[in-house]
């Protein structure tokens, strides 16, 4: 399972398994076991970039390093955050820099797919946890289960977090030259951005850390990024509700596909 792009059929299957067996949770991961997948008692998935902050808070982290694509709720739970480019090498480099600047600091990191990197000796419920600064799926799964039990279930755990929902998809078979030209045009021209965003949202800021992340009015966001190793173009949105995020994503995908001549 690609834990960042779980299709509708798989989501429906997970929800049916949870309901049919009366499960408190369902957990899995991707093929090489470094990206977690967690669903709660209601069958709803807990995204990887929500598992990361939950695990960090449970373990007592002080500073979190995570890519610019990760859910913005992390800034709302009382932890210091350093944003990086997409990829664990960039997260690890940011963690090392943070530890060098403040030796002994409780630093952790995670990717939007949920892979967690522990940069300090943490205290778990049954004893110490040694640092493991490489992408791990088991720790965020276990941390989520512990946190959900303490909260009274996954629905209650999610309700206690800031209401920030992400939705993402990708266009495949993309001409990366055309994609790069489109991104350069939109990123370098305010009028071009305004035209692109018409019917999507009003720009309030931008971030070029990796691709182009547009901060929109009302706390929403849109991130545009070509893949670095495949003919794909990724589109991610963030909003205050799941339905709103899905609607924004559909509009943005259609707008990008029209601009670069790509299919879904």
């Amino acid at each position: 399972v690609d834990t960042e792009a779980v299709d509708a059929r798989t989501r429906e299957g997970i929800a049916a398994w949870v309901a049919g067996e009366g499960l408190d949770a369902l957990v899995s991961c991707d093929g090489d076991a470094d990206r977690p997948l967690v669903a709660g008692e209601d069958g709803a998935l807990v995204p990887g970039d929500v598992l990361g902050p939950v695990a960090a808070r449970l373990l007592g982290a002080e500073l979190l390093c995570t890519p610019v694509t990760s859910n913005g709720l992390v800034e709302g739970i009382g932890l210091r955050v350093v944003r990086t480019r997409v990829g664990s090498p960039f997260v690890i480099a940011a963690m090392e820099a943070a530890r060098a600047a403040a030796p002994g600091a409780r630093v952790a990191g995670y990717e939007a797919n949920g892979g967690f990197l522990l940069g300090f000796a943490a205290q778990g419920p049954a004893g110490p946890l040694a640092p493991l600064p490489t992408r791990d799926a088991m720790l965020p799964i276990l941390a989520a289960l512990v946190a959900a039990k303490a909260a009274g279930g996954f629905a209650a755990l999610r309700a206690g977090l800031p209401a920030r929902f992400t939705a993402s998809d990708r266009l495949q078979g993309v001409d990366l030259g055309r994609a790069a030209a489109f991104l350069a045009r939109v990123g370098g021209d305010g009028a071009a951005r305004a035209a692109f965003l018409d019917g999507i949202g009003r720009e309030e800021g931008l971030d070029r850390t990796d691709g182009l992340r547009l901060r929109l009015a009302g706390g929403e966001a849109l991130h545009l990024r070509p893949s670095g190793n495949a003919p794909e173009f990724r589109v991610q949105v963030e909003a205050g509700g799941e339905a709103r995020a899905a609607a924004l994503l559909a509009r943005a995908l259609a707008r990008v596909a029209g601009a670069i001549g790509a299919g879904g």
Side-chain angles (χ1 to χ4, degrees), residues 94-147:
M95 291 172 64
E96 290 175 345
R99 288 200 302 267
R106 297 195 299 273
V107 179
Y110 66 94
E111 293 192 77
N113 55 44
F116 196 85
L117 302 95
L118 182 63
F120 66 101
Q123 185 64 34
L129 292 168
L132 182 61
T134 187
R135 195 163 62 194
D136 173 28
M138 187 55 68
L139 185 55
I141 288 174
L142 292 173
L145 292 172
V146 171

Side-chain angles (χ1 to χ4, degrees), residues 67-79:
V68 67
T69 51
S70 292
N71 191 309
L73 71 80
V74 65
E75 274 89 4
I77 62 171
L79 300 177

Side-chain angles (χ1 to χ4, degrees), residues 16-106:
W17 294 330
V18 170
E21 300 294 335
L23 303 179
D24 294 315
L26 181 149
V27 303
S28 184
C29 59
D30 66 328
D32 57 354
D34 61 2
R35 305 178 185 193
L37 180 73
V38 176
E41 72 282 348
D42 55 1
L45 293 183
V46 185
D49 54 1
V50 174
L51 294 175
V54 167
R57 186 168 63 177
L58 184 74
L59 294 168
E62 297 172 322
L63 186 147
L64 274 176
C65 302
T66 192
V68 67
T69 51
S70 292
N71 191 309
L73 71 80
V74 65
E75 274 89 4
I77 62 171
L79 300 177
R80 289 185 291 146
V81 181
V82 173
R83 294 286 187 162
T84 74
R85 292 180 62 188
V86 175
S88 55
F90 301 109
V91 175
I92 292 169
M95 291 172 64
E96 290 175 345
R99 288 200 302 267
R106 297 195 299 273

